């Protein structure tokens, strides 16, 4: 959610580098923190921000113009999925190699969070890397009949924000296509 404020300390700072402790709620690691001069709208970004927990952050400022300032805290955005939900394709059972690469803007980690259809034996027998690459050395594992695997992947960004999306993979075994004998 959006950050909330309950207090700042100190409430008055000098023109020297000063750390301000901001109390509130719904802070994430690490938010953007600015001060905005009330009469001109001039914006000064914090020189550093330290995340303590969801209710406390510490921002350091060196402001050179005296005045009244507002503090703005903005949580970074959650990852935005680029890969559409649904089917990632159908593959022959026992296939070995790269299955698919999924992508979410801003994400630096991907993991299966529900469905358990992607990883592990008895499932699709795949692995997913932190860069979103889904691979297998034996698609479908011990399976011998076609199956559809349903799973949810969570994309996580550096601030710890997440976005989930559900996908499927299908396996096929045996002859495919058609033929004719004369």
């Amino acid at each position: 959610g959006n950050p909330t404020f309950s207090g700042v300390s100190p409430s008055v700072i000098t023109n020297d580098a000063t750390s301000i402790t901001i109390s509130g709620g719904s802070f994430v690691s690490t938010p953007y923190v600015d001060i905005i001069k009330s009469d001109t709208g001039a914006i000064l970004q914090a020189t550093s921000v330290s995340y303590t927990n969801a209710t406390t952050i510490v921002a350091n400022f060196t402001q050179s113009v005296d005045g009244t300032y507002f503090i703005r805290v903005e949580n970074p955005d959650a990852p935005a999925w680029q890969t559409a939900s649904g089917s990632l394709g159908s593959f022959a059972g026992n296939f070995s190699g790269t299955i698919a690469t999924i992508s979410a803007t801003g994400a630096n980690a991907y993991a299966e969070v529900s469905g358990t259809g992607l990883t592990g034996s008895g499932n699709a027998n795949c692995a997913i890397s932190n860069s979103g690459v889904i691979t297998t050395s034996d698609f479908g594992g011990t399976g011998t009949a076609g199956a559809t695997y349903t799973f949810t992947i969570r994309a996580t960004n550096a601030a710890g924000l997440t976005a989930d999306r559900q996908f499927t993979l299908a396996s096929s075994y045996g002859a495919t296509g058609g033929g004719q004998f004369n």
Side-chain angles (χ1 to χ4, degrees), residues 5-176:
F5 295 96
S6 61
V8 297
S9 178
S11 60
V12 176
I13 64 173
T14 66
N15 294 24
D16 297 322
T18 306
S19 292
I20 299 171
T21 301
I22 303 169
S23 303
S26 298
F27 298 138
V28 298
S29 175
T30 299
Y32 304 108
V33 181
D34 300 323
I35 56 175
I36 304 166
K37 194 160 187 309
S38 63
D39 60 347
T40 65
I43 298 172
L44 178 65
Q45 186 175 15
T47 54
S48 67
V49 178
S50 300
Y51 173 82
T52 305
N53 55 44
T55 61
T56 306
I57 55 176
V58 177
N60 188 285
F61 293 95
T62 304
Q63 57 86 18
S64 59
V65 179
D66 292 341
T68 301
Y69 289 82
F70 299 104
I71 296 175
R72 177 178 60 192
V73 177
E74 185 177 320
N75 288 338
D77 293 332
W81 279 101
Q82 302 301 307
T83 305
S85 63
S87 176
L88 294 175
S90 180
F91 298 86
N94 307 117
F95 170 79
S96 178
T98 298
I99 296 288
T101 300
I102 58 174
S103 177
T105 302
N108 64 353
Y110 299 87
E112 181 178 13
V113 293
S114 69
T116 63
L118 181 65
T119 58
S121 62
N123 297 309
N125 197 39
C126 294
I128 185 166
S129 72
N130 277 340
S131 59
V133 178
I134 299 172
T135 58
T136 184
S137 59
D138 181 13
F139 186 66
T142 59
T144 57
T148 298
Y149 306 99
T150 302
F151 50 92
T152 299
I153 299 295
R154 175 167 292 158
T156 305
N157 68 13
L161 298 175
T162 63
D164 293 354
R165 182 152 285 181
Q166 188 176 69
F167 299 99
T168 62
L169 286 170
S171 65
S172 62
Y173 291 84
T176 60

